[in-house]
Amino acid sequence: MIRLLCTLLLCLLAWTAQAEEFTARVDRTRLGAGETLELTLESSDSTPLGKPDLSPLEEHFEVLGTRQVNRPSSTAGDSRSTTQWIITLQPKRRGQVTIPPLRLGDRQTRAIVLHVQKSEVDSDPARLAPVFIDATLDRESIYVQAQVVLTLRIYHSVSLYDDSNLSPLQMADARIESLGAPRTYETSVNGVRHGVIEVRYALFPQRSGELLIPAQSFTATEVSRAPGRDGLLPFGPHSGRQIRVESPAIPLTVRAKPAEYPADAPWLPARALVLSENWSPAPEQARAGDSLTRQLTLKADGLSGAQLPPLASLPVEGLRRYPDQPQLTDQPGERGLIGSREEREALVPVRDGRIELPAQEVVWWNTDHDRLERTRLPARTLMVAGNPALAETPPQPAAAMPRPLAAQPLWLWQLASALLLCTTLLGFALWWHARRQPAIRSAVAGPSPRSLLDDLRRACQANDTQATRQALDAWARQQPETLAAMAARYVPLSAALDALNGALYSESGQYWQGDDLWQAIRDLPPALQPGTPNEPSQLPPLYPR
């Protein structure tokens, strides 16, 4: 019965994993009416049975083209091949349009929601040229150091060679970030099919007032279709006329920081801001002397990671804190840049009981609703359990004070002198007997080597420099060679000791990780015994017989 249940469970898990191996994704989720997009269906099966059923797409989309691609992939050292179907779609209506789940055998993708907006290209005579540029901003007025997204779209109804070039965007009063690689798709303008090259930038103005976004120029070579003088089509990769077009310059109003914003808080204008935390291990498992890793992540929609301030790190009684270097990342999204700041620190409770971690609060300005907001991470209470390994030896009761000499009887002194004489004679006899016997090394009373090695391991895992130094000295005293000799013959141990000494004696207080030292202690090769014969020399003897 148990075997049958295990077999059914394994089959269920295999079916679930198989169902998750057929996925769908699109190149963008926001597009204009008449534009096309690419839907990519991917199966981890290199030889799938059949093709995906695309009939559910016919209600809201026109399927303009489909191609199949086999791509090799590697995951965790396992080489495998995946099959992709790249489908070109054109929505039939505006508004919110959903790509329904698509099936491949018994597997199914998830639905994807698209936002089809009104096309920004009108019937202006300038739009009827074979190549033209359309430049738009997602906002006409923003706050200083806030994000505005500039979108450049190059429309062309004629074929172009691959020598096209767009002039770089340069502004003295704004910081510019590129939002990914250029996109290419197709759209219909006044009933004519156009290819589109889309380039997006995130702009962060550094001063308030009126700002003018300069014009951008685009140059390319048109593919000539007309025959030459000899009646033949022109030969060569760039046989055609040169085309150069410019985008319009766009004014932008930049507002100053609001007066109601706190003067002592960093200026953070964003669409959204989230503050989260992650623990490893869980804070409910905290024990005195053990290390906890706390990760605080600040993510803002509309700001770069460099604009996010460091989070407050106040001292907490009963807790040692070892912060790591913050990690700043920027991720381009559909609405612009999403910046994040990740701060990690190791927390080591030095006592058991209740330890209070203060709340974290970030003040920011919501640019969508134009108001001041506060994102808060509530305070947390750590209930630290006791650690038997760190329990201190209870103090011994003080010995009774001896009575004054005058109050002690004489026979006590005589008895003490006799006992001292007997013990002296016994000790001398044992010494004389030991001199006549072969020398035997006796074990030194004290902790065992195993317990000292365990103390050293716990100190290294807790990243505690002082405890590690004490445990290392105690362990080294029971070794057949000195700590300096071990470091001289094993380079990783020498490097780990240098890092420990740097953390102990540096004025800046370096953050130290004990994993390298513990690994070096574990991998330390045994010392060469004095009686070990040397390897035979490959050289001939100096004085051959």
Side-chain angles (χ1 to χ4, degrees):
M1 185 64 181
I2 296 178
R3 292 182 178 179
L4 179 61
L5 291 177
C6 292
T7 303
L8 293 176
L9 181 59
L10 291 176
C11 292
L12 180 60
L13 293 176
W15 179 84
T16 304
Q18 185 183 17
E20 296 176 351
E21 291 177 351
F22 184 50
T23 59
R25 65 179 185 271
V26 294
D27 58 349
R28 65 192 191 281
T29 58
R30 297 178 180 270
L31 64 158
E35 297 179 1
T36 61
L37 75 153
E38 285 190 350
L39 168 66
T40 302
L41 304 177
E42 183 173 335
S43 173
S44 60
D45 189 0
S46 59
T47 57
L49 298 177
K51 295 183 178 181
D53 181 14
L54 304 181
S55 57
L57 297 173
E58 297 176 356
E59 180 180 358
H60 300 297
F61 299 91
E62 290 185 10
V63 181
L64 302 180
T66 303
R67 66 182 188 272
Q68 181 176 336
V69 179
N70 292 327
R71 298 182 182 274
S73 62
S74 177
T75 304
D78 183 17
S79 299
R80 54 193 308 182
S81 179
T82 60
T83 303
Q84 292 182 350
W85 291 270
I86 302 176
I87 306 164
T88 304
L89 301 177
Q90 184 177 25
K92 295 181 179 180
R93 63 178 180 85
R94 294 183 306 194
Q96 183 172 302
V97 182
T98 302
I99 298 178
L102 302 177
R103 302 187 65 86
L104 177 64
D106 57 351
R107 294 173 291 177
Q108 180 174 292
T109 64
R110 296 181 179 180
I112 301 177
V113 179
L114 304 177
H115 300 276
V116 183
Q117 306 167 351
K118 182 180 178 180
S119 178
E120 299 177 357
V121 181
D122 52 23
S123 59
D124 188 359
R127 311 297 195 197
L128 302 179
V131 180
F132 63 91
I133 301 181
D134 182 70
T136 58
L137 294 175
D138 63 340
R139 301 187 181 198
E140 298 179 355
S141 175
I142 61 169
Y143 284 101
V144 63
Q145 296 181 358
Q147 174 190 254
V148 60
V149 177
L150 170 65
T151 304
L152 297 175
R153 295 184 180 93
I154 299 101
Y155 294 83
H156 59 95
S157 58
V158 295
S159 300
L160 302 175
Y161 285 111
D162 56 359
D163 62 346
S164 59
N165 179 53
L166 181 66
S167 62
L169 179 61
Q170 296 178 352
M171 300 178 63
D173 298 326
R175 188 168 58 87
I176 304 172
E177 297 286 346
S178 176
L179 295 177
R183 298 173 176 173
T184 58
Y185 52 90
E186 293 184 352
T187 188
S188 178
V189 180
N190 298 325
V192 180
R193 179 65 55 185
H194 283 68
V196 182
I197 305 173
E198 181 181 289
V199 182
R200 299 193 308 152
Y201 300 97
L203 309 181
F204 298 90
Q206 300 300 305
R207 65 170 180 86
S208 58
E210 293 296 327
L211 192 66
L212 184 65
I213 299 176
Q216 300 297 110
S217 63
F218 174 78
T219 58
T221 304
E222 178 185 358
V223 178
S224 177
R225 298 296 183 184
R229 295 180 180 178
D230 54 358
L232 300 177
L233 291 176
F235 178 78
H238 303 289
S239 301
R241 69 185 182 94
Q242 191 79 9
I243 297 177
R244 185 178 187 275
V245 292
E246 285 191 355
S247 66
I250 306 176
L252 177 65
T253 302
V254 183
R255 293 181 285 176
K257 184 172 66 173
E260 59 267 30
Y261 197 85
D264 57 345
W267 170 236
L268 297 177
R271 285 194 178 96
L273 190 141
V274 178
L275 179 61
S276 60
E277 68 175 350
N278 188 28
W279 291 82
S280 177
E284 292 77 13
Q285 303 175 4
R287 292 197 317 166
D290 290 350
S291 176
L292 297 172
T293 300
R294 187 189 191 190
Q295 174 183 321
L296 296 176
T297 303
L298 183 62
K299 183 176 293 186
D301 185 358
L303 292 175
S304 64
Q307 293 178 270
L308 300 180
L311 301 174
S313 180
L314 302 176
V316 179
E317 183 181 358
L319 197 66
R320 292 181 181 175
R321 313 177 77 157
Y322 304 95
D324 202 352
Q325 292 293 331
Q327 301 293 328
L328 306 179
T329 57
D330 295 328
Q331 179 182 0
E334 290 292 332
R335 303 177 62 186
L337 207 62
I338 300 176
S340 64
R341 181 186 180 94
E342 180 182 298
E343 295 186 0
R344 297 167 60 93
E345 63 176 351
L347 306 179
V348 181
V350 297
R351 61 171 176 83
D352 56 357
R354 185 188 186 96
I355 296 180
E356 297 287 343
L357 292 179
Q360 295 280 351
E361 184 179 76
V362 178
V363 180
W364 60 288
W365 188 267
N366 192 323
T367 56
D368 281 346
H369 300 89
D370 201 18
R371 67 188 180 192
L372 180 69
E373 292 196 10
R374 299 175 185 269
T375 298
R376 182 181 177 86
L377 199 63
R380 178 179 288 273
T381 301
L382 296 180
M383 301 303 299
V384 182
N387 193 342
L390 301 179
E392 298 181 357
T393 305
Q396 299 294 332
M401 295 297 294
R403 290 184 298 173
L405 297 178
Q408 296 179 359
L410 182 61
W411 65 270
L412 288 179
W413 285 102
Q414 297 174 348
L415 180 60
S417 300
L419 290 176
L420 181 59
L421 178 62
C422 293
T423 54
T424 303
L425 294 176
L426 180 61
F428 179 77
L430 292 176
W431 172 78
W432 181 259
H433 179 72
R435 280 192 59 187
R436 301 175 63 88
Q437 299 295 330
I440 301 176
R441 177 179 295 181
S442 59
V444 180
S448 65
R450 180 63 182 177
S451 62
L452 293 178
L453 194 61
D454 290 341
D455 294 342
L456 179 57
R457 174 181 58 82
R458 284 192 292 267
C460 290
Q461 292 177 350
N463 302 325
D464 192 336
T465 55
Q466 297 292 342
T468 302
R469 184 74 249 187
Q470 297 175 4
L472 183 63
D473 292 340
W475 172 80
R477 282 194 292 269
Q478 289 199 358
Q479 302 306 310
E481 55 181 342
T482 63
L483 190 60
M486 288 185 281
R489 66 180 177 85
Y490 191 51
V491 176
L493 178 59
S494 177
L497 292 177
D498 291 342
L500 175 61
N501 292 331
L504 281 170
Y505 306 116
S506 65
E507 297 180 357
S508 58
Q510 301 177 4
Y511 174 52
W512 179 75
Q513 292 276 359
D515 295 338
D516 294 341
L517 178 59
W518 173 241
Q519 188 67 28
I521 293 296
R522 291 182 56 186
D523 298 342
L524 181 66
L528 189 65
Q529 299 296 331
T532 303
N534 295 328
E535 295 183 358
S537 175
Q538 302 297 329
L539 299 176
L542 184 60
Y543 301 103
R545 296 180 180 179

